[in-house]
Amino acid sequence: MTSVNGDGGGHAERAGFTDLGFARVDTGREARQGVAECVYAPGKRPAEITAIVGELLSAATGPVLVTRADPETADEVLAAHPGGSYDARARLVTWRPARPRAFSVAVLSAGTADGPVAAEAAAVARAVGLGVGVYRDVGVAGLHRLLDSVGEAQAHQAFIVVAGMEGALASVVGGLVAHPVVAVPTSTGYGAGLEGVTALLAMLSSCAAGLTVVNIDSGFGAAMAAHRIAAAVERGRE
């Protein structure tokens, strides 16, 4: 059963969602935050994702995203809702990407193995309208590679830094630039990397002050942090 709670029915705390029975779709998020609720695919059946996406496409006017979607799920949901696209490396399904905004982000990844997380960050950032510059394999084991790229990367307004193992790249970038830096620890690395916990703790305890650190492997979270920074800048221009 579907019920729409756009006016809250007298209960303000219930306004702005549609109850599909198995999910309460947050149809008010686009108005609050500039981007509709994004659908995290793992744990959901394709039929459930299809229904949620249908509701979001109807209720929102901007981009609709499904993250961490495998190819089979993406095919099924896209068949039900044509007009979207699937980025296999980023595992992202997108409908109605936003128009380009006057804000861009540099996405730096330490190693090739960090590529899928960096791809997710870049794809989500593009979907919400941010410009993106990608700088791959600039980890601290060969610091000259970073130094060769960081000058060009500073043309962007913010940095997303993706790194596993000891996670040092975020601290190095944070010490070199004045831009907002969003750090993404990844689960890349051998045993003592503890599936990303070591990089997470290193980024949280960085001596480069002011880093924003998101969850392990969350390229999505990093892109949305950049979106919030961009939205604050845009509000300041109004």
Side-chain angles (χ1 to χ4, degrees), residues 4-100:
V4 178
N5 295 273
D7 61 4
H11 301 280
E13 71 278 12
R14 296 179 183 174
F17 68 87
T18 299
D19 190 350
L20 299 178
F22 61 89
R24 297 187 180 200
V25 182
D26 183 358
T27 54
R29 193 170 307 183
E30 183 182 63
R32 296 197 312 276
Q33 300 181 358
V35 176
E37 178 181 357
C38 300
V39 185
Y40 179 72
K44 298 183 179 71
R45 293 177 291 184
E48 293 172 334
I49 298 171
T50 297
I52 295 169
V53 167
E55 186 62 28
L56 290 169
L57 287 171
S58 175
T61 59
V64 172
L65 310 179
V66 177
T67 67
R68 300 299 171 99
D70 59 47
E72 294 74 20
T73 297
D75 286 346
E76 188 166 337
V77 180
L78 283 168
H81 299 294
S85 62
Y86 179 55
D87 184 329
R89 185 159 176 78
R91 293 174 289 175
L92 181 73
V93 190
T94 304
W95 291 264
R96 297 188 314 223
R99 290 180 296 179

Side-chain angles (χ1 to χ4, degrees), residues 46-211:
E48 293 172 334
I49 298 171
T50 297
I52 295 169
V53 167
E55 186 62 28
L56 290 169
L57 287 171
S58 175
T61 59
V64 172
L65 310 179
V66 177
T67 67
R68 300 299 171 99
D70 59 47
E72 294 74 20
T73 297
D75 286 346
E76 188 166 337
V77 180
L78 283 168
H81 299 294
S85 62
Y86 179 55
D87 184 329
R89 185 159 176 78
R91 293 174 289 175
L92 181 73
V93 190
T94 304
W95 291 264
R96 297 188 314 223
R99 290 180 296 179
R101 300 157 66 181
F103 190 96
S104 65
V105 60
V107 179
L108 280 62
S109 52
T112 305
D114 301 313
V117 177
E120 181 182 54
V124 172
R126 290 191 187 98
V128 301
L130 304 182
V132 175
V134 175
Y135 303 86
R136 300 181 179 90
D137 203 12
V138 293
V140 299
L143 195 57
H144 55 295
R145 300 171 299 180
L146 172 65
L147 298 177
D148 184 62
S149 301
V150 72
E152 177 185 313
Q154 290 186 75
H156 301 277
Q157 284 76 52
F159 280 68
I160 293 174
V161 180
V162 181
M165 297 193 177
E166 85 289 357
L169 182 62
S171 288
V172 173
V173 173
L176 287 174
V177 305
H179 302 55
V181 176
V182 182
V184 191
T186 75
S187 53
T188 301
Y190 296 104
L194 302 175
E195 298 182 338
V197 173
T198 297
L200 171 66
L201 295 177
M203 292 173 178
L204 287 172
S205 56
S206 172
C207 63
L211 299 184

